[in-house]
Amino acid sequence: MIPGPVEFEPEVLRALGSPTKSHLDPDFVECFGRVLKGLRDVHGTTAGQPFVVAGSGTLAMELGAGNVVSEGDPVVIVDTGYFSERMATILTRLGCRVTRLSAPVGGCISPSELDAALVKESAVMVCMTHVDTSTGVRVPVEAMARVARARGALVLVDGVCATGGEALAMDGWGVDVALTASQKALGVPPGLAVVMAGPRALETFRKRATKGRSLYLSWDEWLPVMEGYEAKKPVYFATPPVNLVAALDVSVGQLLREGLGPRIARHGRMAAAFRAGTQALGLRPVPLEGPLLANTLSALYLPEGVDLSLVARIRDEGVVVAGGLHPAIRTTYFRVGHMGAVQENDVLATLGALERGLARSGQGAAAGRGVAAAQAALAAPR
Ligand code: PMP
């Protein structure tokens, strides 16, 4: 129950362990093409151009951002934690002039604050982390994108900890670049970077005066590959991670069979039940306001008198959760992922292990209340 890598469905793991096909095999060509089409649905876009490349989420960040900005471009980052800072580092290395709009830990600037900042200083791109994995803060992407677009900026969303578990309507919201990775709500072991580029992003890429220097990260190299596989005519640039793509095919298929709407609703229900449980145990979330609470993970402050040994105690009780990540509060909180295949019993088992862990940390007074509150939330009519 960590915020990635998550637990994977057996069928996905079976695809990963199946005999590796040639990257030019007609079955694989079919499979890759299906994955690319399916990813459009996952992102809520018909016009987007998908890229699926071997690499982690950080590579997706570079692949997504690096092809639309040029040296000297002013860029604004809605800063909600650790991964916003990573995006700032990437863009700074690309030679952009980066402005970070930060809020206190657990907070997020409002859309009107973003608007005021863009009036003061124009930006070619506004970047945001849909859900920051270090704080559990979910940015109101739709409202932020509306403001950024109205001020003429491209919108980039880091959806590594969100896509497939939080609502995303790229076309409807005006998101120009969305990026993610395989190991979280997409439900595939680590190793795939996924980028979806909208028409404005592609146009900006094509009109750039200066090209980036990296070969592996250039859309110039990957566009013919992605277009080729979708047209069932494989194009070689660099060997695709055949088994991971086959695993993604299975998991995207599962996701679309469940239906994007029902899947997001399930994530909402699991998050609400887990929140009801942790609230009943007296644990305070890191996000400062209700609407900022993510569906994909919970970041929770440790209670008075309990340190991070709680994480090991919960592990001893059979559930793996994560420690802190945000440097300002690292030792004072822990994180629980509830995305991908997570169901009711996982939420209840986690709360049970959390209660036993707390009891072993000398905080047993509330034992049973968390599970009871989650049961009540799960029993509520849908
Ligand atoms: N962005 C976010 C929101 C993330 O949660 C992560 C990984 N936890 C990354 C980017 C970077 O991904 P990776 O670790 O796969 O490079």
Side-chain angles (χ1 to χ4, degrees), residues 3-4 55-61 82-84 86 129-134 158-162 179 181-184 190-192 325 335:
S56 79
T58 306
L59 186 112
M61 294 169 86
Y82 185 91
F83 290 102
S84 308
R86 176 162 302 184
T129 314
H130 198 161
V131 172
D132 194 289
T133 324
S134 71
D158 170 351
V160 173
C161 195
L179 62 95
S182 51
Q183 73 269 24
K184 304 200 194 214
L192 288 177
L325 179 62
R335 296 170 302 142

Side-chain angles (χ1 to χ4, degrees), residues 155-245:
V155 177
L156 179 145
V157 176
D158 170 351
V160 173
C161 195
T163 307
E166 302 280 359
L168 172 64
M170 252 187 105
D171 289 355
W173 296 355
V175 173
D176 298 295
V177 180
L179 62 95
T180 188
S182 51
Q183 73 269 24
K184 304 200 194 214
L186 284 185
V188 176
L192 288 177
V194 175
V195 171
M196 189 67 71
R200 290 202 322 165
L202 287 165
E203 192 190 326
T204 307
F205 161 71
R206 290 194 174 108
K207 287 191 179 150
R208 280 194 314 173
T210 55
K211 300 260 180 217
R213 291 189 187 151
S214 167
L215 181 74
Y216 191 73
L217 287 171
S218 171
W219 287 359
D220 275 327
E221 305 303 328
W222 290 114
L223 259 174
V225 175
M226 302 303 147
E227 288 170 349
Y229 272 94
E230 239 190 302
K232 301 197 171 77
K233 292 188 194 90
V235 175
Y236 170 75
F237 162 55
T239 310
V242 174
N243 287 56
L244 278 166
V245 172

Side-chain angles (χ1 to χ4, degrees), residues 61-269:
M61 294 169 86
E62 298 214 51
L63 184 66
N67 283 286
V68 287
V69 290
S70 304
E71 231 171 282
D73 278 353
V75 180
V76 160
I77 294 181
V78 175
D79 179 1
T80 48
Y82 185 91
F83 290 102
S84 308
E85 184 171 345
R86 176 162 302 184
M87 186 53 92
T89 306
I90 288 170
L91 289 164
T92 303
R93 286 194 181 203
L94 289 167
C96 296
R97 289 193 285 117
V98 177
T99 304
R100 277 164 65 180
L101 303 177
S102 307
V105 175
C108 176
I109 61 148
S110 67
S112 55
E113 284 169 308
L114 172 63
D115 193 49
L118 292 175
V119 167
K120 247 200 301 179
E121 199 181 336
S122 68
V124 299
M125 184 163 77
V126 173
C127 301
M128 59 202 80
T129 314
H130 198 161
V131 172
D132 194 289
T133 324
S134 71
T135 55
V137 167
R138 181 180 60 204
V139 170
V141 171
E142 185 177 7
M144 293 291 189
R146 196 177 307 126
V147 166
R149 277 228 162 183
R151 296 288 170 201
L154 291 170
V155 177
L156 179 145
V157 176
D158 170 351
V160 173
C161 195
T163 307
E166 302 280 359
L168 172 64
M170 252 187 105
D171 289 355
W173 296 355
V175 173
D176 298 295
V177 180
L179 62 95
T180 188
S182 51
Q183 73 269 24
K184 304 200 194 214
L186 284 185
V188 176
L192 288 177
V194 175
V195 171
M196 189 67 71
R200 290 202 322 165
L202 287 165
E203 192 190 326
T204 307
F205 161 71
R206 290 194 174 108
K207 287 191 179 150
R208 280 194 314 173
T210 55
K211 300 260 180 217
R213 291 189 187 151
S214 167
L215 181 74
Y216 191 73
L217 287 171
S218 171
W219 287 359
D220 275 327
E221 305 303 328
W222 290 114
L223 259 174
V225 175
M226 302 303 147
E227 288 170 349
Y229 272 94
E230 239 190 302
K232 301 197 171 77
K233 292 188 194 90
V235 175
Y236 170 75
F237 162 55
T239 310
V242 174
N243 287 56
L244 278 166
V245 172
L248 183 60
D249 183 30
V250 173
S251 109
V252 167
Q254 288 173 341
L255 194 158
L256 296 177
R257 267 195 303 282
E258 181 177 1
L260 207 53
R263 185 178 168 98
I264 305 302
R266 171 167 62 80
H267 279 75
R269 238 177 23 257

Side-chain angles (χ1 to χ4, degrees), residues 294-362:
N295 282 339
T296 48
L297 91 147
S298 295
L300 297 153
Y301 284 108
L302 295 160
E304 266 307 293
V306 176
D307 65 17
L308 272 176
S309 61
L310 176 67
V311 169
R313 294 203 163 109
I314 297 171
R315 193 174 197 281
D316 289 344
E317 296 299 328
V319 177
V320 182
V321 299
L325 179 62
H326 195 296
I329 54 169
R330 196 189 293 269
T331 58
T332 65
Y333 79 114
F334 66 106
R335 296 170 302 142
V336 178
H338 26 76
M339 61 187 131
V342 169
Q343 298 287 354
E344 285 83 346
N345 289 339
D346 304 304
V347 170
L348 296 172
T350 305
L351 284 165
L354 171 58
E355 289 180 351
R356 297 194 298 282
L358 284 170
R360 288 178 56 209
S361 305

